[in-house]
Amino acid sequence: MSHSSSLGSTHPWIKELKSEERGLYLIHLLLTCANHVASCNLENANASLEQISMLASPDGDTMQRIAAYFTEALADRILKTWSGLHKALNSTRMVMVSEEILVQKLFFELFPFLKVAFILTNQAIVEAMEGEKMIHIIDLNAAEPAQWIALLQVLSSRPEGPPHLRITGVNPKKEVLDQIAHRLIEEAEKLDIPFQFNPVVSKLENLDLDKLRVKTGEALAISSILQLHTLLASNDETMKRKSPLLLKSPNGIHLQRFQPMNQTTLGDLLAKDMVNGYTKSPNSTSSSSPASSNTSNPMSMENFLNALWSLSPKVMVVTEQDSNHNGATLMERLLEALYSYAALFDCLESTVSRNSLERKRVEKMLFGEEIKNIIACEGLERKERHEKLDKWFMRFDLAGFGNVPLSYFGRLQARRFLQSNGCEGYRMREENGCVAVCWQDRSLFSISAWRTRK
């Protein structure tokens, strides 16, 4: 009999733990399990999963919920080593487009991140387009019409009169683009603004830039919200082809014996445990997971940014998740993801009822799927490759873009929004002319503006 199968009976103190103590114990178990998965010790990984499953719950407190989704991700990574079994278990899995639209809408409503990004993006575009009569905006993630409705309203009140506006929206789902087109055309007619909407049904990595229909004489702006990181998968595949030999490592972590602790937030708990209770082997790697079987040849980040530079946009505004989820090893990604998703779950714990169905949908259908992609997937299949702002600075610089500091007025609008909409706990931090939107002191999303450097 495994240790885990008798955990509840032989260790009744487990069920008597307070929330903070149970959270710390769950972190120890998750790190132990991830280490077994990374070193292909499936028997011990299975035992750890059993232990975690007795304590984790998608309906419990913050740490119980986050542990449930990380456990599911680790289990999915194990299953991928048996491709037939994994495919069979997922063969009938189906997510309705309407459900995906709903969960994106809920994220927009429950968090202020996208609203702040919209305010800063629109203000940067308005300032760059001052005096322009023909404006073309390319939205690389056309998913929420609220951003462009607000921009239409601002442009309609320009002293020199509204410009002729064309928006090209890129999205892999035609239904989403149809909804956005209807809303924007309706608003433009109300405001009497000359307007066209050009829908492009495509994933970003397969985007044909000719379909963007960039014309001479138009002033071009580009908006990319939570999209560019997906192109890093093809960069990873290129590096693997150059260096296909990866080393396996022995156990990657050392955990101190569990000590009950009194922490007030999940972020505090994680920080305390990970600083004091974890040391990583210098050779720790995640090469045990199978690479994606996708053999397509999507566009690399370098080629995509070079292509955008060739379009000569007057401004490009980029919003990305400000986290390092693109580490080479499983343990690196798991630790970083625990930190950042702990902060996102803490946001919801502080602002939304635990019994809220909307909250459960966001945690399962959005955060849960992102965590699974970060932890369980490799190669082209791993799309959630979020990186920190300093890395984006290097990429844009190499591609010939120069940073455009976000204006004082734009930052002022964003701060006023956070202060006036009950967004207690959220902060804005300025970094090199860019903005980081934080939960407490944890930076979660970055917004930066760029222009072509000739």
Side-chain angles (χ1 to χ4, degrees), residues 322-327 332-333 336-337 386-388 391:
D322 194 38
S323 303
N324 185 19
H325 295 156
N326 196 24
E332 286 178 83
R333 299 203 301 271
E336 286 291 332
H386 314 122
E387 293 196 335
K388 300 291 286 184
K391 289 195 176 181

Side-chain angles (χ1 to χ4, degrees), residues 4-294:
S4 59
S5 61
S6 57
L7 184 69
S9 57
T10 59
H11 298 285
W13 57 270
I14 291 288
K15 296 184 178 179
E16 302 299 322
L17 289 174
K18 294 178 182 177
S19 175
E20 293 84 3
E21 298 168 340
R22 181 177 58 230
L24 182 58
Y25 191 54
L26 276 168
I27 291 171
H28 277 289
L29 291 174
L30 278 171
L31 295 176
T32 302
C33 180
N35 188 49
H36 292 319
V37 173
S39 57
C40 293
N41 191 333
L42 298 187
E43 184 176 348
N44 286 345
N46 180 63
S48 297
L49 289 172
E50 284 191 63
Q51 294 179 44
I52 298 168
S53 296
M54 292 189 67
L55 297 173
S57 168
D59 299 314
D61 62 28
T62 304
M63 192 58 221
Q64 285 180 301
R65 296 198 316 280
I66 200 170
Y69 293 113
F70 274 86
T71 304
E72 184 179 9
L74 287 167
D76 196 60
R77 187 180 177 95
I78 293 172
L79 280 176
K80 283 177 181 290
T81 60
W82 290 280
S83 58
L85 179 62
H86 187 265
K87 287 175 183 175
L89 287 173
N90 289 277
S91 61
T92 59
R93 185 171 179 268
M94 181 175 63
V95 179
M96 302 294 290
V97 173
S98 58
E99 290 179 339
E100 291 186 346
I101 295 173
L102 173 62
V103 77
Q104 293 293 336
K105 186 78 175 174
L106 289 173
F107 177 73
F108 173 71
E109 291 172 352
L110 295 177
F111 295 89
F113 303 117
L114 292 184
K115 298 183 185 79
V116 170
F118 291 171
I119 290 169
L120 290 166
T121 300
N122 284 2
Q123 184 60 31
I125 291 173
V126 167
E127 291 170 7
M129 298 298 168
E130 189 174 350
E132 297 287 351
K133 296 180 179 178
M134 302 280 288
I135 298 174
H136 183 189
I137 297 171
I138 297 172
D139 184 353
L140 296 177
N141 182 25
E144 175 54 61
Q147 176 180 9
W148 306 125
I149 288 174
L151 182 67
L152 283 165
Q153 292 168 351
V154 172
L155 293 177
S156 70
S157 61
R158 288 204 315 184
E160 68 270 34
H164 184 287
L165 178 64
R166 188 155 64 94
I167 294 179
T168 294
V170 181
N171 194 293
K173 299 177 182 65
K174 183 178 182 296
E175 298 94 326
V176 174
L177 294 173
D178 287 345
Q179 289 183 24
I180 290 174
H182 175 73
R183 290 284 309 280
L184 296 185
I185 290 169
E186 185 178 63
E187 186 70 20
E189 287 176 351
K190 256 194 261 179
L191 297 169
D192 196 25
I193 294 179
F195 176 74
Q196 290 177 301
F197 186 80
N198 174 33
V200 178
V201 181
S202 174
K203 291 183 178 180
L204 201 62
E205 64 263 31
N206 301 321
L207 180 62
D208 178 358
L209 268 68
D210 289 340
K211 291 184 178 178
L212 301 177
R213 291 164 49 195
V214 176
K215 299 175 183 177
T216 304
E218 291 178 326
L220 180 65
I222 299 173
S223 169
S224 175
I225 294 183
L226 309 181
Q227 281 297 291
L228 287 183
H229 66 268
T230 61
L231 298 176
L232 292 171
S234 57
N235 289 39
D236 187 52
E237 284 300 288
T238 302
M239 291 301 294
K240 281 184 179 179
R241 283 194 291 272
K242 291 178 180 177
S243 304
L245 205 57
L246 292 173
L247 298 175
K248 290 188 178 180
S249 75
N251 292 341
I253 62 173
H254 167 71
L255 294 173
Q256 294 179 345
R257 187 173 63 85
F258 165 68
Q259 293 287 341
M261 297 178 67
N262 182 24
Q263 300 292 333
T264 54
T265 70
L266 180 54
D268 292 339
L269 188 148
L270 278 167
K272 186 75 172 178
D273 184 61
M274 290 179 184
V275 168
N276 296 332
Y278 168 83
T279 55
K280 185 170 59 175
S281 160
N283 296 323
S284 177
T285 186
S286 62
S287 59
S288 59
S289 177
S292 167
S293 59
N294 191 342

